[in-house]
Amino acid sequence: MYEFMRHLKRDPESNKIIGLHENFFLPVGLSEINEAENSLNIAFPAELRQFYMEVGWGQLQTGNSGAVADYNYIASPREIVAIIDGASEWLMPYSQIEAQTLPFLQRDVDLFLCLHPNSDNPNAVYWMWGEKMSNGGRICDSLVGFFRRLVDDPNWFNLPNP
């Protein structure tokens, strides 16, 4: 499903320092996914679960097109739990995550892209607080499609400046 991202996987034993805007992903085991799901009492959407199994967690900041983003940190399952519990360093003290929301990608401090696991399309990607937008904040209908485009341009989904 995510074969187009396998080249971004990093050897977890590597001592090489991660460079500025370097793309990398580290493995996630099934036990970590299950632990997070049990802690949150929610099943991850199928495409997120498969993403963790095939690619892992990490960052995608430089696209094939040469475009660069300052963020795009894909949270590990443990980090998703910390974000929802309010214990993540990625949050401001006043942050609140809506119920039944999985913030999986940090776009900036306290700004996440999310999945809604109990929705009619649990693999669709949304802006955090997207209900305030005319389209409900939906960015993409599938996580696979989202990452296909992100690999080319890490900024493709950003809202245009007024």
Side-chain angles (χ1 to χ4, degrees):
M1 187 179 297
Y2 293 98
E3 61 284 340
F4 60 94
M5 293 184 74
R6 289 195 182 131
H7 69 284
L8 301 172
K9 291 174 68 171
R10 181 182 173 92
D11 177 1
E13 304 300 318
S14 174
N15 292 325
K16 181 183 163 216
I17 294 174
I18 297 169
L20 182 65
H21 299 297
E22 180 180 342
N23 299 328
F24 75 90
F25 287 90
L26 298 172
V28 171
L30 182 58
S31 62
E32 185 177 345
I33 296 167
N34 291 336
E35 183 180 304
E37 289 177 327
N38 290 336
S39 177
L40 297 171
N41 198 27
I42 195 166
F44 286 172
E47 290 181 13
L48 180 62
R49 183 176 252 276
Q50 193 64 34
F51 179 81
Y52 284 135
M53 296 301 296
E54 287 186 41
V55 182
W57 71 272
Q59 70 182 22
L60 206 160
Q61 295 182 328
T62 303
N64 293 335
S65 66
V68 176
D70 288 332
Y71 283 92
N72 288 348
Y73 297 113
I74 294 82
S76 70
R78 287 186 183 115
E79 187 63 30
I80 289 177
V81 172
I83 293 166
I84 291 172
D85 287 346
S88 173
E89 63 186 37
W90 293 359
L91 295 170
M92 299 300 286
Y94 53 79
S95 298
Q96 293 183 343
I97 304 298
E98 295 176 8
Q100 304 300 315
T101 298
L102 286 178
F104 74 95
L105 186 145
Q106 179 197 20
R107 183 59 192 152
D108 205 340
V109 174
D110 208 39
L111 179 61
F112 299 94
L113 301 187
C114 306
L115 302 173
H116 298 290
N118 294 328
S119 68
D120 61 335
N121 183 354
N123 296 299
V125 178
Y126 294 85
W127 279 103
M128 182 178 183
W129 304 303
E131 71 281 354
K132 297 175 183 173
M133 298 174 172
S134 60
N135 70 347
R138 188 178 278 200
I139 296 170
C140 196
D141 288 334
S142 82
L143 194 58
V144 174
F146 173 80
F147 278 116
R148 280 193 188 281
R149 292 185 66 185
L150 194 69
V151 165
D152 187 51
D153 179 356
N155 292 303
W156 75 268
F157 57 88
N158 282 330
L159 299 173
N161 290 332

